[in-house]
Amino acid sequence: MVTIPSTIFACDIQKKILQRIAEIHNMYNAPSEDKRAQLIYGASGAGKTYILKQYHAQFLPITRPETTTVPIFYVAFKEFKKSTAEITRLLISELDGPTQNARATAAELDTQLITLLRDREVELIILDEIQNIASSYDGIEFQRIIKYLCYLIDSNKIRCSIIFAGTSSAKRLITFGRTAGKFDDDEQMSRRQMRPIEIKPILPRTNNWIACCNWFLQQVSLPNLTKDKHSELLDRIYVAYSEHTMSTMRDLFLRNNTRNAKNYEQLIEALFENFEKYAIGAINPFDYELLAKKQLDAYINEQDKSLRSQFYAGLY
């Protein structure tokens, strides 16, 4: 059973992702036929990178006189990569490998990467922002990238597990080759992956939503909200969150003014100020005059209905 870090609130999806990451991590020394990769995807700001980094923080590099080991190798594709060579060069660089010869062949780069992964004793590779290698077109180069990623998953030389994470566009990693029929799909990624996990918005007025809000309140040393006593404030926070990003929640709560709040009245004032500074919504939900209770209820009910319909639509 995975221990949930105190830096993460323990809602259902967070627990599921952490448990799946741990399961993939534990496959690193298994035979290639027993290994699987994992894709985690969701909207930008939904909290993917934060969860991955909190897991990573539990397995930091260990420096010894003779070498530095890196149990978890995390790298984000912050810029678009259009070839396997570019991907390999980035991985070598992020592992602090030697300066690469610009004319190095694919085989030479591959040997460098394998050597580094072994020397650093890497158990789990986390490739974040993976949509930046998932171009908007189906082509030969993208097929090569798919085959290369399949090689990384399967290779007995590397013996690492792999996590992929990105936006919804990253789903192309497992759908490439299924439809158009233009390319050989023998290297189909889906056969090498566990079922993908999507981070969806939290539903309003649920236990998960209350747990989310109360985790942030604990960070600013204020008592928990309850459904019976604080339903309106929980709903107003949800309107702010309905940009559907956990980064919005961090911008609202993890600021000096909220940390200095002594009671809920001061908290609401701080949330109002932070929404004005950091959020993009047209209506500030912490303006009680502008957003009356009746309009608030109508908005929350509509959001709940819409999100639930999307969830159930995904079952068919």
Side-chain angles (χ1 to χ4, degrees):
M1 197 70 179
V2 178
T3 300
I4 306 296
S6 61
T7 50
I8 294 177
F9 73 91
C11 77
D12 294 343
I13 190 62
Q14 310 271 27
K15 290 188 286 187
K16 179 179 180 179
I17 290 172
L18 287 167
Q19 288 165 0
R20 186 67 62 82
I21 293 173
E23 185 176 357
I24 298 297
H25 185 179
N26 288 334
M27 290 181 181
Y28 78 93
N29 213 23
S32 61
E33 61 269 20
D34 295 333
K35 288 165 60 178
R36 292 290 185 274
Q38 177 67 57
L39 172 63
I40 300 166
Y41 69 95
S44 178
K48 302 177 300 296
T49 296
Y50 185 78
I51 297 171
L52 293 170
K53 287 187 174 180
Q54 295 312 303
Y55 187 87
H56 178 213
Q58 300 178 80
F59 302 89
L60 294 176
I62 302 169
T63 300
R64 303 186 183 94
E66 64 278 9
T67 187
T68 296
T69 60
V70 184
I72 296 184
F73 173 38
Y74 171 89
V75 59
F77 291 92
K78 296 180 180 178
E79 297 178 353
F80 178 69
K81 300 298 175 187
K82 61 183 180 181
S83 69
T84 56
E86 287 188 0
I87 293 170
T88 311
R89 289 179 186 279
L90 174 65
L91 297 180
I92 291 171
S93 175
E94 291 293 321
L95 280 168
D96 296 324
T99 302
Q100 303 152 39
N101 185 332
R103 296 184 178 180
T105 65
E108 290 170 333
L109 291 172
D110 190 51
T111 298
Q112 280 189 39
L113 178 60
I114 290 172
T115 301
L116 283 167
L117 291 169
R118 286 176 174 174
D119 290 347
R120 303 289 192 268
E121 298 180 18
V122 176
E123 299 170 359
L124 177 66
I125 302 172
I126 298 177
L127 302 180
D128 199 3
E129 304 297 342
I130 198 70
Q131 73 277 358
N132 285 329
I133 66 165
S135 62
S136 60
Y137 61 90
D138 288 343
I140 294 296
E141 194 56 55
F142 189 64
Q143 184 187 37
R144 292 193 185 105
I145 290 174
I146 292 291
K147 289 187 175 185
Y148 179 69
L149 295 177
C150 290
Y151 160 74
L152 291 180
I153 296 168
D154 292 344
S155 178
N156 284 321
K157 296 179 182 178
I158 296 177
R159 303 190 73 79
C160 301
S161 301
I162 301 181
I163 297 285
F164 301 108
T167 65
S168 296
S169 299
K171 288 189 292 183
R172 292 188 69 252
L173 289 176
I174 57 175
T175 59
F176 181 83
R178 287 183 183 176
T179 53
K182 296 180 181 178
F183 300 98
D184 179 8
D185 67 354
D186 286 347
E187 299 297 333
Q188 190 171 295
M189 180 76 76
S190 60
R191 293 186 290 108
R192 293 169 171 85
Q193 295 239 23
M194 302 283 270
R195 185 186 183 97
I197 298 177
E198 179 182 6
I199 302 182
K200 295 182 178 180
I202 303 171
L203 292 171
R205 297 175 176 172
T206 59
N207 290 334
N208 279 332
W209 175 241
I210 296 171
C212 174
C213 291
N214 284 336
W215 184 86
F216 280 98
L217 284 168
Q218 290 160 18
Q219 309 314 301
V220 298
S221 302
L222 283 173
N224 286 350
L225 299 173
T226 66
K227 195 171 186 177
D228 293 337
K229 293 183 179 180
H230 309 102
S231 60
E232 183 174 352
L233 180 53
L234 286 164
D235 285 350
R236 289 183 181 276
I237 297 171
Y238 192 87
V239 174
Y241 161 78
S242 62
E243 296 172 11
H244 294 155
T245 64
M246 292 309 299
S247 56
T248 298
M249 294 292 285
R250 290 191 285 273
D251 281 337
L252 287 175
F253 281 91
L254 304 186
R255 298 289 170 180
N256 287 335
N257 56 356
T258 47
R259 291 188 178 99
N260 293 330
K262 303 300 182 185
N263 51 51
Y264 291 134
E265 288 74 19
Q266 292 180 11
L267 172 68
I268 292 169
E269 291 177 3
L271 292 174
F272 176 93
E273 180 181 348
N274 292 341
F275 188 92
E276 291 291 307
K277 290 180 179 178
Y278 304 109
I280 62 175
I283 296 178
N284 190 326
F286 305 105
D287 185 332
Y288 280 63
E289 293 184 3
L290 184 62
L291 184 62
K293 182 70 164 59
K294 183 177 180 180
Q295 285 74 34
L296 175 66
D297 287 339
Y299 178 86
I300 294 294
N301 290 334
E302 183 59 33
Q303 284 291 101
D304 183 66
K305 181 180 178 181
S306 174
L307 291 172
R308 287 182 187 276
S309 66
Q310 292 174 35
F311 172 79
Y312 289 117
L315 297 179
Y316 301 99

